Structure formats: C-alpha cells, structure tokens
Amino acid sequence: MSFTSLNFLLFITVFSAGFLALARTRVFTPFLLVASYIFYGYWDYRFCGLLALSTMIDFYCGLKIADSPDRRTKKLYLFISLGANLGMLFFFKYFNFFVDSAEVALAGLGIEIGQRTLSILLPVGISFYTFQNLSYGIDLYTGEVKEPERSLMRYATFVAFFPQLVAGPIVRARDLLPQIQQGPRDIPFPERFAGLEKVIWGYFLKIGLADNAAVVVDARFHQPEFFNALQHVIGLVCFSLQIYGDFAGYSLIAIGLAQIFGYKMCDNFARPYFATGMRDFWRRWHISLSTWFRDYLYVPMGGSRTRWLRIRNVVITMLVSGLWHGANWTFVVWGALHGGLMLAEDGIRRLAAVSPVKLSGPALAAGRLVMVGLVFIVVTLTWLPFRADNLHTVHTILSIIAAGDFGLSQGNQQASSLLRVAITGLIVLMVDALIERGGARRYAGVNVVARSMACSALILVMLLFGSFANHAFIYFQF
C-alpha cells in the first residue's frame, strides 16, 4: 500500500496500537513481521511468496557461509545466494527486455524468431530487497558481518521491514539486524518528534511538490508533439523537482516512521541540487544505492587504483545503475550519460590542477553558485531519457527544443499546477538552502512548541496547495 493512501492511514493506526501494546514483549518481532507482510501483500499477495523464498535462500546461505570451515564451500554458498537473487531479479525484471532486444537485433540480420516474451508481473520493490539480501551474503563472506542471524524470524523481519521495503533506503544487515535483535529502542520524546518532522516534511515533498509537478510532466510526456520548446523546458525542470520530491519524500517518510518506532536508518538524500559537480551529486542522491554500488561493484572491480581502471569501472557501474532503474534502453542511455559526465568532470579537474585558479570571498561564492546552477541544468537534461517511455520520445522532445520555439502561446497550460509547483518549490529551496548552511543544527535547538507551529504551518500549506490525486511513488516501479 502507498504511504499516501487512506488504507495506509488505517494500517499505521492499527500498527501503532499494536506497537504500544507489544513493544516490550517477545511477540513484537512476529507482530512486526506479520505487519510488514500485510503491508507488502496489499499490492498482490503473490508477491509475498517471492519475498519469503528469497529470504529463506539467503538465510540458509548465510548460515552456511558463516559456518563452513573452508573458503571453497563459503564461496559455493555465496554463489548460490548471488545466483538465486540475480536470477529472480533477471527473470521478473529483465527477461522480456533482453528477449525483445534480441528479437530486434536478429530481425536486423534478417532472422525472424517471432514473439517470445512472457506475461510477467513485476513484484513491487524487488530491486530493493534483492540488493538488501545480496549485501548480507557478501558481508558475511568478506567478514563485514561477523556473525550470521540464526533466527529466521528476525532475518525475515530485517528483509521485510515495512517502512523501507518497497522503495528504500537500502539498509545493510550490519545496521538494521542488531536493531531487530534488540527490539525497538526506548527513545526520548524529542527524538520521536524529530521522526514525526521527517514524516511531515516527506509528505510535503510528495504531496506538495512532486504530485503537483506530476500534472505538468505527465501531460508533456504523454503527448510531446502538442507542446513547444518552452513548455518542454518547463516540463523537464518540473520533472527534476518531481523526482526529487517523490523519492526524497518517500525516503524521509520511511526514515521518520522507523525513527518514531525506535529504529534508525541511513539518510538517503542530502540536498542533491546543491551539488557542485557530478561526483558531488552522486554523494547526495540516493545515497544508499550509490554507496551500495561503490562497495559491492566499483571497489571490488579495482576502484580508482589507476586512471584506466577508474574509466572502466565508472562506465560499468553507471551502466549497471541505469539498468537497475529499469529494463529499458532509456535507462541505459541515462546511466551512460552520467558515466560520461563523471569522466568528463575528472578530466576537467586534472586540467584545473595544472593551472589552479584560487577564488576567495564573493568570487568563491559566485563560482559555487554558477557550478550549482550548471550541475542542475545538466542533471535536468539527463532526466529526459530517465522519464521518457522510449527513445523515440526522447528524440521528439529534443527535436522540439532544438527547433527553438520559446513562445508564450501555450504558457497558460496547467497554470494552476505550475503556480503550486512554484510556491512549494520555493519553500523546499529555502529549507534546503538553510540546511545546507547549517540551519538544521540551529533548528534542532528550538523549543518543541515553535517546531510544532512550524510543522502546523507546513501542513496548512500542504492542505492549501497540495495535490491529493494519489499519484504512485515513482520508485515503486523499480
């Protein structure tokens, strides 16, 4: 179920009552596990079977990796875990993509094999919990996790933990499993209130910013030929705001809910549109995924030990990252663009190191502002293949923008939504700017009454300007 649905309101109300009654009892972990499966099974109960199968395979393999006396046996069970997880992910997410691609390639050679795709329902969040399971087995093998979890119930609760199950953050076993073992912490009220603030801010990002922007974006991508260059530029900017508000909003709701109930999860976003470079952007955007690829793909392949290793590994990592997001050539193009941009940035940095230009004071601030604006423009342009359904749509929109019709004749379309995006976007910009300048520490010291008033004002703005059309979270499709 979606965080923005009335069903979730009912679910979290019942769960909260159960939490208050059972948090200090032995039955709390079974209760949390059942609640998580109810939450996940609401989309389709059949998804629960795949989740349970994946969980049992990795639990068993984890025990064998930890208890096997020789490295060869450990490696065997690690490969079983990797094969099972990646095999399920490939079948449900990528089978039809590769079959379609093969059919097109063979047709280009004059070989017709006919339609070979299957009708496969993509389980919600499979990319997220698959990576979570993979990291557990790999960490046991490398020694990052010293002891395996020997309770299937606790391990299953770690995998299915409902706040982050379907769209992250991707939590490592070494971070969340000890908390599952100990049960919810007895945290003070200020910390629970801080969790509630995260939830409110997350809902504002989603309902206030992202869902208003979705109205503008969807119209342009569904019928791109009906809009001119100006409208498509506006649409791309709105999608930049939409995907940030949508995904950062989900992450904050998940992190905040976990914090309210006594669990701590990693941050997933750190004001990415204030990045001053592409490397900096990926330190701030979807942090749990970018660090996952760094630790389990980029570094094992050799990292940045040499210049050529870095070029190869950046390209491979970003292409895999693109495919992780979706079984479509548009995501491959998106990953390739980001890989190319990161390598181009490396080249610029090397040239700048030869003849460094030192800035200070106002010049330094102005230079940083220019870099932030430039990175935002570049990232916004790369969102085009990410959002487009196919490469034909990408070509159509780029052709319209290149034609240069920036007239205002269509400027009144979705005017109400654009106004709402402008209002909520300005609020998000101001809050992120304050946090970027260290305002979060000062805000944490403000008394709870003032903070409650700020939250109330935010809720009021959300009620006045938010969109309540219940748009699905973008990352549910991954």
Side-chain angles (χ1 to χ4, degrees):
M1 63 189 74
S2 173
F3 283 163
T4 56
S5 68
L6 291 177
N7 292 319
F8 179 74
L9 178 61
L10 175 62
F11 168 85
I12 203 65
T13 300
V14 174
F15 178 82
S16 298
F19 173 83
L20 292 173
L22 304 173
R24 292 290 172 263
T25 69
R26 291 185 176 182
V27 298
F28 177 73
T29 299
F31 168 73
L32 177 57
L33 176 60
V34 171
S36 296
Y37 267 79
I38 291 172
F39 172 83
Y40 187 61
Y42 181 81
W43 279 282
D44 191 319
Y45 69 91
R46 293 172 293 180
F47 295 165
C48 293
L50 184 67
L51 177 62
L53 176 62
S54 173
T55 299
M56 287 188 287
I57 291 172
D58 284 281
F59 173 74
Y60 177 77
C61 288
L63 292 177
K64 292 297 184 180
I65 291 169
D67 296 340
S68 297
D70 61 281
R71 194 168 185 84
R72 179 178 295 180
T73 307
K74 291 176 184 287
K75 186 175 291 187
L76 171 64
Y77 282 101
L78 174 63
F79 284 159
I80 292 173
S81 172
L82 294 176
N85 281 289
L86 295 176
M88 286 187 286
L89 186 61
F90 174 84
F91 177 76
F92 284 98
K93 192 168 183 177
Y94 302 107
F95 178 82
N96 284 341
F97 168 69
F98 282 104
V99 168
D100 281 336
S101 299
E103 287 177 5
V104 172
L106 290 172
L109 298 174
I111 304 172
E112 296 292 340
I113 62 172
Q115 187 83 15
R116 301 284 179 172
T117 55
L118 302 175
S119 179
I120 300 174
L121 183 64
L122 180 65
V124 176
I126 187 172
S127 296
F128 288 92
Y129 69 73
T130 296
F131 271 32
Q132 194 157 309
N133 274 325
L134 284 172
S135 66
Y136 174 69
I138 296 171
D139 284 351
L140 277 172
Y141 181 79
T142 60
E144 287 293 325
V145 173
K146 303 300 181 184
E147 290 293 329
E149 175 53 64
R150 299 189 180 276
S151 165
L152 177 58
M153 182 175 296
R154 286 197 296 264
Y155 183 75
T157 304
F158 153 70
V159 176
F161 188 56
F162 77 86
Q164 49 77 230
L165 173 59
V166 296
I170 302 170
V171 183
R172 310 286 180 91
R174 61 176 178 261
D175 297 324
L176 186 55
L177 256 178
Q179 299 181 63
I180 299 293
Q181 293 164 351
Q182 295 170 6
R185 294 178 296 144
D186 185 15
I187 62 176
F189 171 77
E191 192 171 341
R192 292 191 192 276
F193 185 77
L196 178 61
E197 289 177 308
K198 290 184 177 74
V199 171
I200 293 172
W201 183 239
Y203 274 112
F204 183 84
L205 287 172
K206 168 62 175 171
I207 295 173
L209 180 61
D211 286 357
N212 277 313
V215 177
V216 179
V217 174
D218 290 349
R220 285 152 178 76
F221 279 89
H222 288 162
Q223 296 179 307
E225 63 278 4
F226 292 166
F227 296 88
N228 67 8
L230 175 62
Q231 288 296 97
H232 279 301
V233 170
I234 292 172
L236 286 175
V237 172
C238 284
F239 184 68
S240 272
L241 300 177
Q242 179 194 358
I243 194 169
Y244 172 56
D246 194 282
F247 194 24
Y250 186 97
S251 296
L252 277 172
I253 295 169
I255 294 166
L257 285 173
Q259 185 171 335
I260 290 171
F261 295 118
Y263 298 92
K264 185 176 181 180
M265 295 197 301
C266 59
D267 291 334
N268 212 23
F269 286 84
R271 302 162 303 283
Y273 291 146
F274 282 86
T276 56
M278 297 306 298
R279 191 187 304 179
D280 188 28
F281 175 80
W282 279 104
R283 291 193 187 106
R284 296 165 174 261
W285 180 274
H286 201 173
I287 299 168
S288 64
L289 179 68
S290 59
T291 54
W292 197 100
F293 277 122
R294 179 197 66 198
D295 295 342
Y296 299 112
L297 183 62
Y298 182 79
V299 171
M301 289 193 302
S304 302
R305 286 203 298 255
T306 68
R307 177 183 173 187
W308 296 112
L309 269 179
R310 172 162 173 78
I311 292 173
R312 185 199 70 178
N313 295 342
V314 165
V315 170
I316 292 174
T317 300
M318 294 313 301
L319 287 176
V320 173
S321 175
L323 266 179
W324 179 91
H325 282 85
N328 195 317
W329 286 109
T330 55
F331 293 109
V332 177
V333 170
W334 173 79
L337 286 172
H338 273 266
L341 288 166
M342 291 179 72
L343 293 176
E345 180 181 89
D346 286 349
I348 293 171
R349 287 179 185 275
R350 285 195 298 272
L351 291 174
V354 175
S355 302
V357 177
K358 294 185 177 181
L359 300 175
S360 60
L364 179 62
R368 177 180 173 82
L369 187 61
V370 169
M371 288 305 300
V372 167
L374 182 61
V375 171
F376 178 77
I377 292 170
V378 169
V379 169
T380 296
L381 288 172
T382 63
W383 285 132
L384 173 55
F386 189 98
R387 175 58 180 82
D389 294 331
N390 48 61
L391 293 176
H392 175 72
T393 302
V394 175
H395 179 265
T396 299
I397 292 177
L398 285 177
S399 298
I400 292 171
I401 293 175
D405 180 9
F406 289 91
L408 298 174
S409 58
Q410 297 173 309
N412 61 343
Q413 297 196 29
Q414 293 91 35
S416 175
S417 295
L418 282 171
L419 178 61
R420 292 166 184 261
V421 171
I423 293 171
T424 54
L426 183 60
I427 293 172
V428 171
L429 174 64
M430 290 190 298
V431 170
D432 277 2
L434 288 172
I435 296 173
E436 188 72 10
R437 295 178 63 85
R441 290 189 297 273
R442 293 191 294 272
Y443 178 77
V446 176
N447 67 70
V448 72
V449 175
R451 289 166 64 177
S452 298
M453 292 176 65
C455 288
S456 299
L458 198 63
I459 292 171
L460 179 60
V461 174
M462 183 166 58
L463 292 173
L464 289 174
F465 298 106
S467 172
F468 296 90
N470 197 22
H471 293 273
F473 285 90
I474 292 173
Y475 269 67
F476 281 2
Q477 64 185 297
F478 308 137

